[in-house]
Amino acid sequence: MPEIKVTPLGAGQDVGRSCILVSIAGKNVMLDCGMHMGYNDDRRFPDFSYITQNGRLTDFLDCVIISHFHLDHCGALPYFSEMVGYDGPIYMTHPTKAICPILLEDYRKITVDKKGETNFFTSQMIKDCMKKVVAVHLHQTVQVDEELEIKAYYAGHVLGAAMFQIKVGCESVVYTGDYNMTPDRHLGAAWIDKCRPDLLISESTYATTIRDSKRCRERDFLKKVHETVERGGKVLIPVFALGRAQELCILLETFWERMNLKAPIYFSTGLTEKANHYYKLFITWTNQKIRKTFVQRNMFEFKHIKAFDRAFADNPGPMVVFATPGMLHAGQSLQIFRKWAGNEKNMVIMPGYCVQGTVGHKILSGQRKLEMEGRQILEVKMQVEYMSFSAHADAKGIMQLIRQAEPRNVLLVHGEAKKMEFLKQKIEQEFHVNCYMPANGETTTILTNPSIPVDISLGLLKREAAIGPVPDAKKPKLMHGTLLMKDNSFRLVSPEQALKELGLAEHQLRFTCRVHIQDPRKEHETVLRVYNHLKGVLKDYSVQHLPDGSITVESILIQATAHSEDQGTKVLLVSWTYQDEELGSYLTALLKKGLPQSTA
Amino acid sequence: MAAHLKKRVYEEFTKVVQQQHEDLSTKKLRLTKPSKSAALHVDLCKATSPADALQYLLQFARKPVEVESVEGVVRILLEHYYKENDASVRLKIASLLGLLSKTAGFSPDCIMDDAINTLQNEKSHQVLAQLLDTLLVIGTKLPENPSVRMRLVEVACKHLTDSSHGVRNKCLQLIGCLGPVEKGVAKEAESQAAKDVQKIIGDHFNDQDPRVRTAAIKAMLQLHERGLKLQQAIYSQACKLLADDYEQVRSAAVQLIWVLSQLYPESIVPIPSSNEEIRLVDDAFGKICHMVSDGSWVVRVQAAKLLGSMQQVSSHFLEQTLDKKLMSDLRRKRTAHERAKELYSSGEFSSGRKWGDDAPKEEIDTGAVNLIESGACGAFVHGLEDEMYEVRIAAVEALCMLAQSSPSFAEKCLDFLVDMFNDEIEEVRLQSIHTMRKISHNITLREDQLDTVLAVLEDSSRDIREALHELLCCTNVSTKEGIHLALVELLKNLTKYPTDRESIWKCLKFLGSRHPTLVLPLVPELLSTHPFFDTPEPDMDDPAYIAVLVLIFNAAKSCPTMPALFSDHTFRHYAYLRDSLSHLVPALRLPGRKLVSSPVSPSITPHEDPSQQFLHQSLERVYNLQHLDPQGIQELLEFTIRDLQRLGELQSELAGMADFTATYLQCQLLLIKALQEKLWNVAAPLYLKQNALASAAAKQILEETYKMEFMYSGVESRQVVIIHHMRLQAKALQLIVTARTTRGAEPLFGMCEKFLQEVDSFQRCFISELPHMQGSFVDKLLDLMPRLVTSKPSEVVKILQTTLRQSTFLHLPLPEQLHRATANIIEPTGESDNPLRFTSGLVVALDVDATLEHVQDPQGTVKVQVLYPDGQAQLIHPKPADFRNPGPGRHRLITQVYLSHTAWTEPCQIEVRLLLAYNSNRSKASSRIPKSTWSESLEALPPSENGIEGTIPFSKPVKVYIMPKPARR
């Protein structure tokens, strides 16, 4: 039985370090190659030695696929390709290929320059790694080799995020990466056709959450900002440079446009500017509104949002500032926060999750007095708001995707074990498909039942279709032919051709069967009774009574003789060739049941 | 070598073509009356290759064929059809047959047998499909012939087993269009096949080809449209098709399910995998709701649209569509809507949210959570959040329709509609505002909802703001805080967008009159009165203060206790506003004061309205004076005109009427004045100055009559006669003046001729009205007509002069409704001191935004005129798409005008105004002449005959400061 094997090296019952190995029909594919935010030791990268102890990775992997540019999906890529050594193809979408190196470079800078780590990948390695990347378009079928093909589907989440279908022959796997089933201000919703894969590997970050409508959150957010700005207060929005930041920018930009507001909006510069450039370029990857209006004006050409300068923070009057990083643990956002925290007119809006220990987490949990470095006490008088803008599918979204794709098996990754358990149970209950949730390093084997294509010659098909009743879509049809397995291909040919090809002589094969019937009458009378009976039953076939006392049904011969010992028993000899096996066996079964009593 | 060969091939090819052309032309020359069929026959016989034949056929298809020769042509074509071996030619012939049978006036039953015969031996699937298409055309041409249709359906049934999807498609289409609809008609004699078309079509719901499946469903829908009652048994089949792999099948299946749900709403269907049963319409509703989250947006739009029209669905199911249980980490969470509601009911005004305010509370039982909604659950929640705005709009429309029929649902969907006010696409926002207005009689806005609604008032789009004002006009607000909030936001809106003034006042008028009891407690605060101290008197010209007063006065109308709270200056302001903004301020019964105007009780019909009475009285007065001395007449007319103009300013609903009559009287006055000039008594050339006055009067009268005819909507033919009559008089005056001033009879001769022609055409056009015009100018003129025709010009002039003097003043009957077309340019405002700078020779776009009222067919008549300081005038025709129609009788023009000029040294002002173009040919008088198309009318009508085109300026000109700079080299 053919099987698909899946082993998560990361993201198995866990969030972060996504890396999943898939073996399908003899092909090995690695899905994502991410790092873990929570660790600073060896655990931050997947354990590639699992794939091979000695020997090159290239020999063991047919390709690597990166779903999107978040570091927990691509952070380990330079390490994997340059330091461990992999020379095979790496597939990602065009926006991912464009933005991913910026983030990798940023990550490298923080790790090496700030934290002073050695033995880390270099800028050159990032460049070399990117040279191995093959960019793909949405819905483009890429032939990795003769059998393996991959295809990208739109996934929402961030710019360029994609779901990938990996297909070998009739077996296929869909890997979702991170996806979002509800559209937002800059991206559309994930979409997949009814591709009916053998296995769907889905993320499950929000396995136990059903979210409220996006509109309420947006409205709340805008109202908060608007009110504060009208009061003359300043709004600080700490963000991470890519992803949500752009969504919020669009949101505020359009709101400013709509409401004719004049207060300035600033965005702290840095890698954002570069990334924004790509957002402008990859218009086709954004949502309907941006795609439709970009001819008049590209929505990412912000009119109201300007670059931030350190000195602006002290300017009087209202303003809105987007600053990095998103958890207020360091950098510009923290500096601005310290300046503005004392005024109750101001407001800080945290648009995402904050890790424990960061200033962001403290103020969100209601702390009003913060101890800063140097024993300073900072009193927080400004308003603190929390708005969740997350771009993962919630439980309903995941179910919706499963419904769209109609997979035969589901495997959950990228989520917490406890939450997965709930979703797994739901999936099995609602869709009646198997659902798996392997831990890291645990291999799941899925048996598949692939259909095997067989070539049939047109002549044979037409000939066989012509026999018997008119073809009906609802009923299966029996066909006769010879299956030839030759040179790794299957062909269905007519027996004559098979014989010819194989150089064999034809042998006739006849089955003969004796049926005993209790009938005291004369032989020819019995024959007549049998004849009448058959004629009555087999209306569609030609039943003939031959002058020599035998009956033919199509090519089947029936002869009756009296039993040598018992004259009351007649022996019916039924003889048929193997081609008529079906009819022949039916006939014998019929005759064995005996003749009907009344022969009138 | 290859190139050479190619060249040769081309050479040969071109040669062949040329020959054909020659042949063709000679052929045509030789035939005296070229018979279509014969020519075609010759051509086709000559064709050596299929490609040639195809060419001939293509050429043939371009020319129309007369009805008489259709049959002959068809015979020829059929003959060639049987001979032809090439499938493509046969295909073309088949399609030509279809085309020919469509010829108007041709009855195709004579060729039907032949057409059916051709099907017999045809092998090519494409040709077969085309032939079936032809049969379909033939069948549809013969609607009253059931036996023919029966035969065709039989033929189609025979070909349903064809292996090509195209053929099966066409067969199904044919059955759908021609299949018997009435039950009884299918006689026993008819074949088995034609009997139950529904079953035949239903069998193809499971066809292997999605296109055929779609065609089958479409055929079924076609049958339904033609009036056949579909069987309920199809329902289960159609439900299965909802899970089809192909979107067009699903889309059609959704329609079919909808149709069935409308046919059998009350039947009971079982729920699979349980013993329960539900109504079919509920089941179908659930299924269609499910399709709102389909993978294809086409299907989603389709499903969302159809949901709106399923009004029989039970409320339980309906309310589920808005249901969405939230959870977070397996704990139940309240939606923002629920939280907002709770906040409201707990009496606390929206507070700043704390971290964890939305923290999930109760644990949920994992077994009870249903992640895949069965049926209707949350369909609209999904639809409204959809990625494609088409789906969102469809969902909003459906919400609107359902809410209109179910008040409880309206109440529930409010939160969602309010949310849609923040959609990113303006169309969706606008649509949801309109929807809200439509269901406003069913709902009362909560404060938090009102808050969200009002936030949109700051939107920069005027459409949105105006739609919102309309919405506020008819919303119910529950609390006095709500009213206060609305007022505050509207005033904010007013300061931000001063151009919205009128719309905001109107909005407050309705808000006040709908909620008198809620306004009452707010009055002291709004008027900032104090129990002990006198407060300063507010500025009367402040639009915001007027807005507040409009609200209060309208509330006071049905709340008699309110005036007691007014301070002295309020009463004064009331009097002023009642006078100046009478359409916004109602009449109030004020204690201790004499009524400013008599109370208007609702039972009084408009005819008894005092202002209307006044209008009629003053007109009576004017018409009755016939024999006053000229001086007296003039004075009376002048006074009446003044009165009428004032009345028009005060009473907006009578403005049209008053202006119209005032204009008429003005014309009369001018005429009288002109006739009393002394010049008539003296030798003409001596009084050139006076003479200028008279001719100017004639000119002005002409202009005014055009205005009267074309600027007012609601003018009936009775008025048109009077207007034309007045114009005729003006023309007579003109003629007399010219006769007096010019020497020589030559030019006069022509003018007289023309005038008499005009009198004649007047008579022709208004023959039915003539009896009403006794004693009038034209009446007398017509009596003298025989004399006029024969006499000399000088005679004619003399006669005219006397008749003009003796003729009586015609009574102008007033129509029921009369409105003057007005235009108001909102943008540009004309207040800017910054010149619009642009490089000379290039163009600059000037945004023009104007409101038009009571303009009929603005697309055809409204023009923008730009006047440059050098006297150059430019006329711009706005695109039809630039006009919007926000309400009956109202239009809005938003367009761009392109300006360009050579370089100036200083910035200077140009004038922009709107013109109403008219064409006297299109007037109501000649409306009896059948309308011809634009180009034809230009050619057909001689330019002299009444074909006067002109324009009437009907808006105040707006000055725009511009500065074309010289181009830099």
Side-chain angles (χ1 to χ4, degrees), chain B residues 85-103:
Chain B
N85 290 322
D86 189 77
S88 57
V89 179
R90 286 206 307 275
L91 184 73
K92 185 66 205 169
I93 293 179
S95 89
L96 271 179
L97 287 180
L99 216 61
L100 287 170
S101 351
K102 269 187 204 155
T103 316

Side-chain angles (χ1 to χ4, degrees), chain A residues 154 182-192 194 196 207-220 222-224 226-227 230 250 255 257-261 287-292 299 361 363-366 383-387 394-396 399-400 403-404 406 418-419 422-423 425-426 429-431 470 473-474, chain B residues 161 203 206-208 242-245 250 290 293-296 300 323-331 334-337 339 350-355 358 366-373 381-382 384-390 392 415 418-426 429 451-452 455-461 492 496-497:
Chain A
Y154 191 73
T182 45
D184 63 30
R185 287 284 167 154
H186 71 312
L187 298 173
W191 180 85
I192 195 161
K194 255 186 208 181
R196 300 198 175 89
T208 55
T209 302
I210 302 171
R211 259 181 289 136
D212 200 353
S213 96
K214 199 130 198 153
R215 253 174 253 284
C216 291
R217 269 174 288 154
E218 284 174 1
R219 203 186 57 212
D220 271 2
L222 293 172
K223 209 174 130 192
K224 294 267 148 63
H226 190 190
E227 276 172 6
E230 274 204 335
I250 290 265
F255 187 71
E257 186 92 29
R258 256 182 74 194
M259 297 303 183
N260 234 333
L261 298 179
N287 73 2
Q288 190 193 18
K289 157 101 178 167
I290 301 178
R291 266 184 286 138
K292 290 221 161 139
M299 293 264 275
H361 187 263
I363 56 170
L364 278 181
S365 46
Q383 295 177 52
V384 179
E385 293 290 341
Y386 174 76
M387 291 277 155
D394 63 0
K396 274 203 168 145
M399 299 299 261
Q400 207 182 330
R403 210 184 83 194
Q404 275 185 16
E406 296 187 3
K418 213 181 83 195
K419 298 181 179 175
F422 163 78
L423 192 64
Q425 173 208 335
K426 283 287 159 198
Q429 187 185 322
E430 311 250 11
F431 295 107
V470 190
K474 287 171 215 162
Chain B
T161 49
D203 284 345
N206 295 325
D207 196 279
Q208 55 179 348
L242 285 180
D244 200 276
D245 279 10
R250 291 200 300 267
H290 200 64
S293 47
D294 190 85
S296 149
R300 292 203 298 266
D323 192 33
K324 193 181 183 186
K325 297 269 186 302
L326 299 192
M327 65 172 187
S328 169
D329 284 350
L330 285 180
R331 279 175 299 172
R334 286 165 311 147
T335 61
H337 292 152
R339 267 182 277 133
S350 178
S351 68
R353 180 139 33 99
K354 287 150 240 133
W355 157 244
D358 62 341
T366 50
V369 183
N370 190 7
L371 283 181
I372 286 277
E373 308 88 352
V381 179
H382 281 293
L384 294 176
E385 273 184 37
D386 199 275
E387 172 179 19
M388 312 298 285
Y389 84 93
E390 291 91 340
R392 296 201 297 269
D415 275 323
V418 170
D419 277 351
M420 294 310 285
F421 285 16
N422 283 321
D423 196 273
E424 54 186 340
I425 305 240
E426 187 175 323
R429 293 203 293 270
D451 202 30
T452 329
V456 189
L457 275 177
E458 289 194 44
D459 203 299
S460 59
S461 151
K492 231 195 242 173
K496 206 163 177 179
Y497 306 100

Side-chain angles (χ1 to χ4, degrees), chain B residues 450-512:
Chain B
L450 190 67
D451 202 30
T452 329
V453 171
L454 292 172
V456 189
L457 275 177
E458 289 194 44
D459 203 299
S460 59
S461 151
R462 200 184 150 100
D463 285 340
I464 295 261
R465 290 200 309 272
E466 270 171 12
L468 209 61
H469 294 155
E470 297 265 323
L471 164 65
L472 284 177
C473 280
C474 48
T475 22
N476 301 317
V477 182
S478 50
T479 59
K480 77 174 195 333
E481 283 81 12
I483 293 283
H484 192 231
L485 198 66
L487 180 66
V488 169
E489 291 292 332
L490 282 170
L491 292 182
K492 231 195 242 173
N493 174 197
L494 188 62
T495 40
K496 206 163 177 179
Y497 306 100
T499 48
D500 288 0
R501 199 169 64 183
E502 282 291 329
S503 166
I504 288 174
W505 287 344
K506 198 179 117 214
C507 170
L508 281 168
K509 173 187 167 186
F510 284 100
L511 213 55

